[in-house]
Amino acid sequence: VKKKVKEVIELPPENQTGIWKYQRQAAQLYLHIKIQVFVAGLIAGNFMANIIEEWVDPEGTEYELVWTVFDNMFNVLFFMELCLNMYAFWLCKFWKSAWNVFDFVVVSIGMLGLLQVPLPGPLGMLRMMRAFRVFRLF
């Protein structure tokens, strides 16, 4: 019988000053179960929106405005989640997590798309990595 061990995450120290004054509170907020469930819902919702888009409008031309609004909404929400995570666990704690590095790459590419920065050749294909976010739920 396997026992699932709950990972203990070390919070940033108390009584920090300057821009890090609220880092501990940000970490507590980010780790709160309601925030984690919300982020899981965002990941699942984004995954479902991508599936529905491919199923209903494979060319992405019939309901282009709808898909753009969904894409932009998810990009902004994931960017906000990434910013909170980065502030809460900067520097080493953040970059030591493979999921955080993956999120950074995926969200950065999403934001470049939102800002309509053309991605050359194979970099444009990296947008498909967003679908792999769903594995973070398991």
Side-chain angles (χ1 to χ4, degrees):
V1 176
K2 276 188 171 180
K3 283 187 179 181
K4 214 172 190 182
V5 177
K6 187 175 180 180
E7 180 183 355
V8 177
I9 298 174
E10 185 180 332
L11 293 174
E14 294 183 46
N15 303 323
Q16 295 194 89
T17 59
I19 64 167
W20 304 113
K21 183 176 181 178
Y22 300 103
Q23 188 180 26
R24 185 177 182 89
Q25 292 89 335
Q28 290 170 326
L29 175 66
Y30 182 77
L31 295 173
H32 193 279
I33 188 67
K34 288 181 182 179
I35 298 297
Q36 293 301 305
V37 168
F38 178 74
V39 170
L42 279 178
I43 292 168
N46 188 29
F47 187 70
M48 290 305 297
N50 289 335
I51 289 172
I52 292 168
E53 178 182 358
E54 289 301 316
W55 183 45
V56 172
D57 189 8
E59 300 298 318
T61 55
E62 192 172 341
Y63 304 104
E64 186 175 358
L65 179 61
V66 172
W67 310 130
T68 300
V69 167
F70 272 114
D71 197 40
N72 290 347
M73 177 193 71
F74 283 115
N75 279 328
V76 168
L77 291 171
F78 283 126
F79 178 72
M80 292 169 57
E81 182 257 345
L82 178 69
C83 288
L84 178 62
N85 188 3
M86 288 179 80
Y87 176 74
F89 297 105
W90 191 257
L91 172 73
C92 293
K93 290 178 196 168
F94 180 83
W95 292 108
K96 283 183 181 177
S97 167
W99 280 119
N100 287 344
V101 173
F102 175 77
D103 271 349
F104 180 83
V105 171
V106 171
V107 171
S108 296
I109 290 167
M111 291 308 292
L112 289 173
L114 179 73
L115 298 171
Q116 298 181 344
V117 175
L119 297 173
L123 289 179
M125 298 298 290
L126 290 176
R127 294 188 78 226
M128 293 186 338
M129 287 175 47
R130 293 182 303 174
F132 293 108
R133 265 194 200 121
V134 77
F135 291 117
R136 187 173 147 189
L137 299 177
F138 303 102

PDB file of all heavy atoms in Angstrom, residues 43-56:
ATOM      1  N   ILE A  43      -6.706  25.590 -15.593  1.00  0.00           N
ATOM      2  CA  ILE A  43      -6.001  24.650 -16.465  1.00  0.00           C
ATOM      3  C   ILE A  43      -6.995  23.754 -17.186  1.00  0.00           C
ATOM      4  O   ILE A  43      -6.918  23.580 -18.410  1.00  0.00           O
ATOM      5  CB  ILE A  43      -4.985  23.816 -15.649  1.00  0.00           C
ATOM      6  CG1 ILE A  43      -3.855  24.712 -15.147  1.00  0.00           C
ATOM      7  CG2 ILE A  43      -4.417  22.675 -16.486  1.00  0.00           C
ATOM      8  CD1 ILE A  43      -2.957  24.064 -14.112  1.00  0.00           C
ATOM      9  N   ALA A  44      -7.948  23.202 -16.429  1.00  0.00           N
ATOM     10  CA  ALA A  44      -8.964  22.322 -17.034  1.00  0.00           C
ATOM     11  C   ALA A  44      -9.832  23.106 -18.020  1.00  0.00           C
ATOM     12  O   ALA A  44     -10.152  22.613 -19.107  1.00  0.00           O
ATOM     13  CB  ALA A  44      -9.819  21.678 -15.944  1.00  0.00           C
ATOM     14  N   GLY A  45     -10.216  24.328 -17.643  1.00  0.00           N
ATOM     15  CA  GLY A  45     -11.041  25.153 -18.532  1.00  0.00           C
ATOM     16  C   GLY A  45     -10.319  25.499 -19.822  1.00  0.00           C
ATOM     17  O   GLY A  45     -10.914  25.461 -20.904  1.00  0.00           O
ATOM     18  N   ASN A  46      -9.042  25.831 -19.723  1.00  0.00           N
ATOM     19  CA  ASN A  46      -8.246  26.133 -20.912  1.00  0.00           C
ATOM     20  C   ASN A  46      -8.137  24.907 -21.809  1.00  0.00           C
ATOM     21  O   ASN A  46      -8.266  25.005 -23.037  1.00  0.00           O
ATOM     22  CB  ASN A  46      -6.860  26.624 -20.485  1.00  0.00           C
ATOM     23  CG  ASN A  46      -6.033  27.132 -21.637  1.00  0.00           C
ATOM     24  OD1 ASN A  46      -6.545  27.626 -22.627  1.00  0.00           O
ATOM     25  ND2 ASN A  46      -4.736  27.013 -21.511  1.00  0.00           N
ATOM     26  N   PHE A  47      -7.906  23.767 -21.193  1.00  0.00           N
ATOM     27  CA  PHE A  47      -7.804  22.515 -21.950  1.00  0.00           C
ATOM     28  C   PHE A  47      -9.122  22.224 -22.680  1.00  0.00           C
ATOM     29  O   PHE A  47      -9.128  21.901 -23.868  1.00  0.00           O
ATOM     30  CB  PHE A  47      -7.437  21.371 -20.997  1.00  0.00           C
ATOM     31  CG  PHE A  47      -7.141  20.081 -21.681  1.00  0.00           C
ATOM     32  CD1 PHE A  47      -5.990  19.909 -22.435  1.00  0.00           C
ATOM     33  CD2 PHE A  47      -8.016  19.004 -21.570  1.00  0.00           C
ATOM     34  CE1 PHE A  47      -5.707  18.705 -23.057  1.00  0.00           C
ATOM     35  CE2 PHE A  47      -7.744  17.798 -22.197  1.00  0.00           C
ATOM     36  CZ  PHE A  47      -6.585  17.652 -22.939  1.00  0.00           C
ATOM     37  N   MET A  48     -10.232  22.378 -21.960  1.00  0.00           N
ATOM     38  CA  MET A  48     -11.548  22.122 -22.574  1.00  0.00           C
ATOM     39  C   MET A  48     -11.849  23.134 -23.687  1.00  0.00           C
ATOM     40  O   MET A  48     -12.392  22.768 -24.732  1.00  0.00           O
ATOM     41  CB  MET A  48     -12.650  22.159 -21.507  1.00  0.00           C
ATOM     42  CG  MET A  48     -12.599  20.992 -20.544  1.00  0.00           C
ATOM     43  SD  MET A  48     -12.641  19.376 -21.358  1.00  0.00           S
ATOM     44  CE  MET A  48     -14.230  19.421 -22.138  1.00  0.00           C
ATOM     45  N   ALA A  49     -11.496  24.396 -23.463  1.00  0.00           N
ATOM     46  CA  ALA A  49     -11.723  25.411 -24.501  1.00  0.00           C
ATOM     47  C   ALA A  49     -10.935  25.078 -25.764  1.00  0.00           C
ATOM     48  O   ALA A  49     -11.450  25.222 -26.884  1.00  0.00           O
ATOM     49  CB  ALA A  49     -11.334  26.798 -23.977  1.00  0.00           C
ATOM     50  N   ASN A  50      -9.707  24.584 -25.593  1.00  0.00           N
ATOM     51  CA  ASN A  50      -8.897  24.199 -26.757  1.00  0.00           C
ATOM     52  C   ASN A  50      -9.503  23.003 -27.481  1.00  0.00           C
ATOM     53  O   ASN A  50      -9.514  22.956 -28.721  1.00  0.00           O
ATOM     54  CB  ASN A  50      -7.459  23.886 -26.337  1.00  0.00           C
ATOM     55  CG  ASN A  50      -6.697  25.132 -25.946  1.00  0.00           C
ATOM     56  OD1 ASN A  50      -7.007  26.230 -26.381  1.00  0.00           O
ATOM     57  ND2 ASN A  50      -5.701  24.958 -25.101  1.00  0.00           N
ATOM     58  N   ILE A  51     -10.007  22.039 -26.722  1.00  0.00           N
ATOM     59  CA  ILE A  51     -10.656  20.873 -27.336  1.00  0.00           C
ATOM     60  C   ILE A  51     -11.906  21.292 -28.095  1.00  0.00           C
ATOM     61  O   ILE A  51     -12.116  20.876 -29.242  1.00  0.00           O
ATOM     62  CB  ILE A  51     -10.994  19.811 -26.264  1.00  0.00           C
ATOM     63  CG1 ILE A  51      -9.711  19.155 -25.751  1.00  0.00           C
ATOM     64  CG2 ILE A  51     -11.965  18.764 -26.812  1.00  0.00           C
ATOM     65  CD1 ILE A  51      -9.922  18.236 -24.564  1.00  0.00           C
ATOM     66  N   ILE A  52     -12.727  22.126 -27.466  1.00  0.00           N
ATOM     67  CA  ILE A  52     -13.964  22.583 -28.114  1.00  0.00           C
ATOM     68  C   ILE A  52     -13.646  23.386 -29.369  1.00  0.00           C
ATOM     69  O   ILE A  52     -14.307  23.224 -30.403  1.00  0.00           O
ATOM     70  CB  ILE A  52     -14.826  23.391 -27.120  1.00  0.00           C
ATOM     71  CG1 ILE A  52     -15.359  22.452 -26.026  1.00  0.00           C
ATOM     72  CG2 ILE A  52     -15.963  24.111 -27.834  1.00  0.00           C
ATOM     73  CD1 ILE A  52     -15.979  23.156 -24.849  1.00  0.00           C
ATOM     74  N   GLU A  53     -12.626  24.244 -29.300  1.00  0.00           N
ATOM     75  CA  GLU A  53     -12.234  25.022 -30.479  1.00  0.00           C
ATOM     76  C   GLU A  53     -11.847  24.107 -31.633  1.00  0.00           C
ATOM     77  O   GLU A  53     -12.288  24.315 -32.764  1.00  0.00           O
ATOM     78  CB  GLU A  53     -11.064  25.945 -30.144  1.00  0.00           C
ATOM     79  CG  GLU A  53     -10.587  26.746 -31.346  1.00  0.00           C
ATOM     80  CD  GLU A  53      -9.393  27.636 -31.034  1.00  0.00           C
ATOM     81  OE1 GLU A  53      -8.949  27.673 -29.870  1.00  0.00           O
ATOM     82  OE2 GLU A  53      -8.909  28.293 -31.965  1.00  0.00           O
ATOM     83  N   GLU A  54     -11.036  23.100 -31.354  1.00  0.00           N
ATOM     84  CA  GLU A  54     -10.617  22.175 -32.415  1.00  0.00           C
ATOM     85  C   GLU A  54     -11.778  21.340 -32.941  1.00  0.00           C
ATOM     86  O   GLU A  54     -11.798  20.962 -34.105  1.00  0.00           O
ATOM     87  CB  GLU A  54      -9.499  21.251 -31.911  1.00  0.00           C
ATOM     88  CG  GLU A  54      -8.181  21.959 -31.721  1.00  0.00           C
ATOM     89  CD  GLU A  54      -7.665  22.606 -32.994  1.00  0.00           C
ATOM     90  OE1 GLU A  54      -7.723  21.972 -34.074  1.00  0.00           O
ATOM     91  OE2 GLU A  54      -7.217  23.767 -32.920  1.00  0.00           O
ATOM     92  N   TRP A  55     -12.734  21.055 -32.092  1.00  0.00           N
ATOM     93  CA  TRP A  55     -13.876  20.230 -32.484  1.00  0.00           C
ATOM     94  C   TRP A  55     -14.892  21.038 -33.285  1.00  0.00           C
ATOM     95  O   TRP A  55     -15.377  20.605 -34.328  1.00  0.00           O
ATOM     96  CB  TRP A  55     -14.513  19.651 -31.223  1.00  0.00           C
ATOM     97  CG  TRP A  55     -15.657  18.725 -31.440  1.00  0.00           C
ATOM     98  CD1 TRP A  55     -15.729  17.711 -32.342  1.00  0.00           C
ATOM     99  CD2 TRP A  55     -16.884  18.716 -30.734  1.00  0.00           C
ATOM    100  NE1 TRP A  55     -16.930  17.064 -32.236  1.00  0.00           N
ATOM    101  CE2 TRP A  55     -17.665  17.668 -31.233  1.00  0.00           C
ATOM    102  CE3 TRP A  55     -17.412  19.487 -29.695  1.00  0.00           C
ATOM    103  CZ2 TRP A  55     -18.939  17.377 -30.758  1.00  0.00           C
ATOM    104  CZ3 TRP A  55     -18.671  19.196 -29.213  1.00  0.00           C
ATOM    105  CH2 TRP A  55     -19.413  18.154 -29.753  1.00  0.00           C
ATOM    106  N   VAL A  56     -15.220  22.252 -32.810  1.00  0.00           N
ATOM    107  CA  VAL A  56     -16.260  23.075 -33.415  1.00  0.00           C
ATOM    108  C   VAL A  56     -15.741  23.872 -34.604  1.00  0.00           C
ATOM    109  O   VAL A  56     -16.453  24.046 -35.595  1.00  0.00           O
ATOM    110  CB  VAL A  56     -16.852  24.033 -32.354  1.00  0.00           C
ATOM    111  CG1 VAL A  56     -17.797  25.047 -32.976  1.00  0.00           C
ATOM    112  CG2 VAL A  56     -17.554  23.252 -31.264  1.00  0.00           C
TER     113      VAL A  56
END
